[in-house]
Amino acid sequence: KHFQITLDGDEKRHNRIRNMNGAPSYKQILQGIYYLCDNIPDVNVTLRINYDTQTLEKSNMKEVFEMIPAKYRHKISPSFQRVWQTESKRNEEGNNPNKLAIFEYCKELGYDAENPSSCLSVLKGHSCYVDRYYHTEINFDGKIYKCTARAYSDEYVLGELQDDGHILWNLEKMRKMYAKATFENEMCLACKHMPLCTGPCSQKLMETPKELLHTICPLTTADVNVDTFIRNLYDGKMKALQAAKSIS
């Protein structure tokens, strides 16, 4: 009942990035979302917006969320995910005002919007899908991967699908990736934000020497800083409590 579906900006920008031999895909994707909402009563659609700074500054993102009918919005959770190749170009102040404004507008429109940060969470237990032990990416050739933000090359193969359906894992690679929690390192254990941030993803930890951990700290590449996240979390909890009191 849970789907993650991706757009790459407003209609003009999305269709420029994602098309099949020039044929646009934006409206087709939205129709697919409406179909899911109409036919699965308890569906939840994570509408992932892949963005870089230009997407937030030049795309009409408000129009994207305005055009989705109101009856579907409570089933849709906007998720703004920076394209990982552009992390070094994030807003230097740690807060991208365009991202925050769009997120707040989504809440006003009735979307299931929880928080504006993609690197912080409460009781989530992992920072990335890769960190979940049973998450598996099966490529067309039967090779098994974990991370989709890396090349589909032999370097990142973690196993292979067998003819009988079971996976033959590379146990040494799996041990290296999952033997410790992502926050079990000196940098994270000394950080006061660790309960909200579970550290870098297991893929980055596996690739990065101990002395360079500071270069992959999620908080250094966040478009929304910790203070803003905490204030937003508090405001959301207070509104929920007030709503519950008014009902009772």
Side-chain angles (χ1 to χ4, degrees):
K1 65 179 183 180
H2 180 227
F3 299 82
Q4 177 173 274
I5 299 175
T6 307
L7 293 175
D8 290 82
D10 62 12
E11 184 171 6
K12 182 178 179 181
R13 184 172 180 81
H14 172 93
N15 284 335
R16 187 168 68 248
I17 295 171
R18 285 171 57 193
N19 59 75
M20 184 178 291
N21 298 323
S25 63
Y26 182 86
K27 288 182 178 177
Q28 186 175 356
I29 289 172
L30 286 182
Q31 287 301 319
I33 293 173
Y34 303 160
Y35 182 86
L36 292 174
C37 291
D38 282 332
N39 290 279
I40 303 177
D42 55 349
V43 73
N44 175 258
V45 177
T46 296
L47 181 56
R48 174 171 172 151
I49 307 296
N50 288 337
Y51 73 90
D52 54 21
T53 303
Q54 277 197 341
T55 306
L56 295 179
E57 291 178 351
K58 297 183 179 180
S59 289
N60 189 349
M61 293 307 301
K62 287 188 176 181
E63 185 179 78
V64 173
F65 296 104
E66 288 170 347
M67 69 181 296
I68 295 176
K71 65 179 180 178
Y72 299 135
R73 293 174 187 171
H74 69 286
K75 297 182 177 183
I76 299 173
S77 304
S79 175
F80 299 90
Q81 302 285 338
R82 176 176 280 279
V83 178
W84 65 271
Q85 293 95 331
T86 70
E87 286 182 347
S88 62
K89 299 179 182 180
R90 67 191 184 282
N91 184 286
E92 293 300 327
E93 296 178 355
N95 269 337
N96 189 303
N98 295 304
K99 179 178 178 178
L100 289 173
I102 295 168
F103 176 80
E104 291 300 325
Y105 190 58
C106 286
K107 291 200 292 186
E108 292 175 12
L109 290 174
Y111 287 92
D112 180 21
E114 293 184 359
N115 71 72
S117 175
S118 57
C119 74
L120 295 170
S121 62
V122 178
L123 301 178
K124 185 177 177 183
H126 60 274
S127 61
C128 177
Y129 55 84
V130 177
D131 303 329
R132 295 181 295 185
Y133 185 76
Y134 291 107
H135 172 84
T136 304
E137 298 283 344
I138 304 174
N139 205 21
F140 71 92
D141 55 3
K143 292 180 180 178
I144 304 298
Y145 301 83
K146 286 285 187 175
C147 181
T148 56
R150 296 293 184 270
Y152 286 99
S153 61
D154 288 344
E155 177 185 359
Y156 299 106
V157 174
L158 288 172
E160 191 162 349
L161 186 66
Q162 303 299 294
D163 289 341
D164 63 1
H166 85 274
I167 295 172
L168 182 63
W169 292 101
N170 183 319
L171 297 180
E172 179 58 26
K173 284 186 176 181
M174 290 289 284
R175 182 200 62 79
K176 188 176 180 181
M177 181 174 278
Y178 293 110
K180 289 185 178 181
T182 52
F183 56 81
E184 286 188 85
N185 59 76
E186 292 180 4
M187 176 184 73
C188 293
L189 292 175
C191 179
K192 67 180 181 181
H193 299 306
M194 192 190 76
L196 293 177
C197 172
T198 54
C201 73
S202 51
Q203 178 68 43
K204 289 180 180 178
L205 282 168
M206 189 171 63
E207 299 169 347
T208 307
K210 182 179 178 180
E211 63 273 14
L212 295 178
L213 282 180
H214 65 280
T215 65
I216 60 171
C217 172
L219 300 181
T220 64
T221 57
D223 280 332
V224 177
N225 65 34
V226 180
D227 290 345
T228 300
F229 172 85
I230 293 174
R231 286 196 300 269
N232 187 276
L233 178 66
Y234 174 82
D235 290 341
K237 295 291 184 183
M238 289 299 101
K239 288 179 181 177
L241 286 172
Q242 289 169 1
K245 286 181 179 179
S246 64
I247 293 174
S248 59

